[in-house]
Amino acid sequence: MAPVVPRSGDAIFANVERVNAELFTLTYGAIVRQLLTDLEEVDEVNKQLDQMGYNIGIRHIDEFLAKSNVSRCVDFKETAEVIAKVGLKMFLGITATVTNWDVEGTTCSLILEDNPLVDFVELPDTCQGLYYCNILSGVVRGALEMVSMKTEVTWLRDMLRGDDAFELQLKLLKQVPEEYPYKDDE
Amino acid sequence: MAPVVPRSGDAIFANVERVNAELFTLTYGAIVRQLLTDLEEVDEVNKQLDQMGYNIGIRHIDEFLAKSNVSRCVDFKETAEVIAKVGLKMFLGITATVTNWDVEGTTCSLILEDNPLVDFVELPDTCQGLYYCNILSGVVRGALEMVSMKTEVTWLRDMLRGDDAFELQLKLLKQVPEEYPYKDDE
């Protein structure tokens, strides 16, 4: 049998079922508007978007592992690269650059090269504290938790808030050793 | 100049930006869950999903007209076919069959051949009155209103409710003659 090699983000993205990005963008915009109306507090909306993303991330990781042939990453550095080049490509059709590593190799930033979530979006003055893309940080956090990495994922820069890029910081808090619910010889 | 010919749904879909369908499906699921939590009443959720779809439809129509080269449809029959074969393809990557025309040619049904909104979805007993896909009926209603057709769009069959297909009924209520806010020679 030929060895299983990891597939590139492009190759996977070409083969998954897809929908129009504008439909996704407008649908996501509809969620955010709805939450702003229902929850009123911008901080609550930030939390809720992150939680929604988390719920998506913990489910998405299965499709990702099944379709990407990515095997266990040796360390957090490799994990960050896989998110930036394969994960984001597979789900949003974009990639990111990994940068700003700390000396311990446990904190880095993803600089997004594009961001389909924010097409057509401008924040009104009343929403200046909003992290509009918080669903994405939640997805990354949820997906990483399912491969035993507890992380904190935060937006350091956000173009909707006037910054010059979208920069998402990933901080590894704890790597939980995997626990098997059964023994191999059972 | 070569004449502008309408493009097929497949050709357009191949050229628009897209995102992973599963991401869209899970994101849509997150909206519905959120609305169920916030609004509590299933009827209110149905209305809200329809309204969200309507807001998306009235914006989506521009991209659709720009990218499809579809010119004015001669009648409602042609319009229904364009939605089924080009519109749905362009946005969701699916097509539908148009059927069940009434004698006046003002009511018909779209039978969806696939429905990416409902992958992984099962309705709990407490949500039996939910029209989970109501965003889609709203999108169609909103888009048609922008080309001067007032319609009523209703789910006649819904596989999440135990039916054998997804059947969306389009009923033309009124065709508003187009009004121009300015004269051609101004």
Side-chain angles (χ1 to χ4, degrees), chain B residues 1-185:
Chain B
M1 214 174 84
V4 176
V5 290
R7 300 170 63 200
S8 78
D10 283 315
I12 304 161
F13 190 63
N15 283 303
V16 294
E17 284 187 52
R18 286 167 290 170
V19 299
N20 189 305
E22 187 176 318
L23 178 66
F24 175 72
T25 306
L26 292 177
T27 304
Y28 183 66
I31 304 182
V32 179
R33 265 196 308 279
Q34 182 66 34
L35 289 175
L36 285 167
T37 309
D38 292 347
L39 303 177
E40 292 170 4
E41 291 290 323
V42 164
D43 284 349
E44 284 304 308
V45 176
N46 290 339
K47 267 190 227 162
Q48 191 61 46
L49 289 173
D50 181 78
Q51 184 60 40
M52 281 182 174
Y54 177 83
N55 293 340
I56 292 174
I58 60 179
R59 296 189 64 168
H60 243 341
I61 189 76
D62 287 336
E63 193 196 5
F64 175 71
L65 293 175
K67 298 213 168 129
S68 66
N69 293 340
V70 164
S71 53
R72 181 157 307 285
C73 292
V74 294
D75 57 15
F76 192 55
K77 286 211 167 182
E78 192 183 336
T79 306
E81 284 295 334
V82 168
I83 295 171
K85 303 298 184 225
V86 189
L88 286 174
K89 185 81 201 178
M90 176 167 168
F91 291 113
L92 288 172
I94 60 170
T95 55
T97 308
V98 187
T99 180
N100 295 342
W101 279 104
D102 66 350
V103 283
E104 292 86 15
T106 55
T107 302
C108 67
S109 287
L110 305 184
I111 314 285
L112 304 197
E113 271 145 34
D114 186 15
N115 186 347
L117 289 178
V118 301
D119 289 338
F120 336 108
V121 175
E122 267 180 59
L123 296 189
D125 285 344
T126 50
C127 297
Q128 292 306 315
L130 181 68
Y131 283 102
Y132 187 89
C133 303
N134 246 13
I135 199 167
L136 197 53
S137 46
V139 169
V140 172
R141 189 168 63 84
L144 286 175
E145 199 160 307
M146 296 304 280
V147 292
S148 311
M149 293 181 179
K150 274 261 181 205
T151 52
E152 202 175 275
V153 184
T154 0
W155 290 101
L156 292 192
R157 284 186 287 166
D158 183 332
M159 291 173 82
L160 291 181
R161 299 171 143 222
D163 299 323
D164 56 348
F166 283 98
E167 176 172 357
L168 191 63
Q169 186 182 65
L170 313 186
K171 188 183 284 190
L172 180 65
L173 301 178
K174 194 161 88 167
Q175 200 151 0
V176 190
E178 221 149 333
E179 286 169 27
Y180 291 94
Y182 52 84
K183 289 181 197 150
D184 267 357
D185 55 358

